[in-house]
């Protein structure tokens, strides 16, 4: 659960800056559709984070489970969050401007088709 928490926190607070397009959550082709309905970047980050939070404490080196095992949930949060932020490039390419925020240059060009 730690790696999923890391991905969610990074996506909401760092990438989307707490701006969530709620109507797009219910659109079949909205911004949350990603690749066939799967956010591959989030899945990869969560999978790598789960290695550090779940697999290494049990099957890893003998010292890892004893020393870092109690902190494995937090390690999974941090690893998954950092990887997701890196894979996302620090920004969401699918975000839509909020009504009170001006559109970016890329969004304006995409809307006008130039």
């Amino acid at each position: 659960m730690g790696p999923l928490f890391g991905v969610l926190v990074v996506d909401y607070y760092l990438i989307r800056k707490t701006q969530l397009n709620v109507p797009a959550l219910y659109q079949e082709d909205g911004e949350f559709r990603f690749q066939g309905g799967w956010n591959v970047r989030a899945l990869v980050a969560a999978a790598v984070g789960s290695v550090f939070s779940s697999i290494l404490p049990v099957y890893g080196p003998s010292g890892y489970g004893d020393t870092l095992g109690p902190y494995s949930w937090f390690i999974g949060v941090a690893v998954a969050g950092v990887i997701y932020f890196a894979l996302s490039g620090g920004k969401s390419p699918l975000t839509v401007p909020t009504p009170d925020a001006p559109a970016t240059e890329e969004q304006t060009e995409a809307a006008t088709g130039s």
Side-chain angles (χ1 to χ4, degrees):
M1 294 308 266
L4 293 177
F5 179 72
V7 169
L8 290 172
V9 167
V10 166
D11 187 64
Y12 183 70
Y13 287 105
L14 299 180
I15 295 175
R16 298 185 189 278
K17 311 259 191 288
T18 69
Q19 299 297 315
L20 192 62
N21 185 359
V22 176
L25 291 169
Y26 302 100
Q27 297 170 351
E28 280 202 34
D29 294 325
E31 71 179 272
F32 298 102
R33 180 72 177 154
F34 297 106
Q35 292 132 348
W38 295 92
N39 187 344
V40 176
R41 294 176 293 187
L43 290 174
V44 167
V48 173
S50 69
V51 168
F52 286 90
S53 68
S54 301
I55 297 172
L56 280 180
V58 176
Y59 300 108
S62 60
Y64 185 90
D66 295 335
T67 57
L68 296 176
Y71 308 106
S72 63
W73 189 87
F74 301 103
I75 293 170
V77 170
V79 168
V82 167
I83 290 174
Y84 183 69
F85 189 78
L87 290 176
S88 298
K91 62 181 178 178
S92 178
L94 301 174
T95 54
V96 180
T98 57
D100 55 335
T104 64
E105 186 176 321
E106 293 88 12
Q107 291 167 336
T108 305
E109 288 175 0
T112 59
S114 55

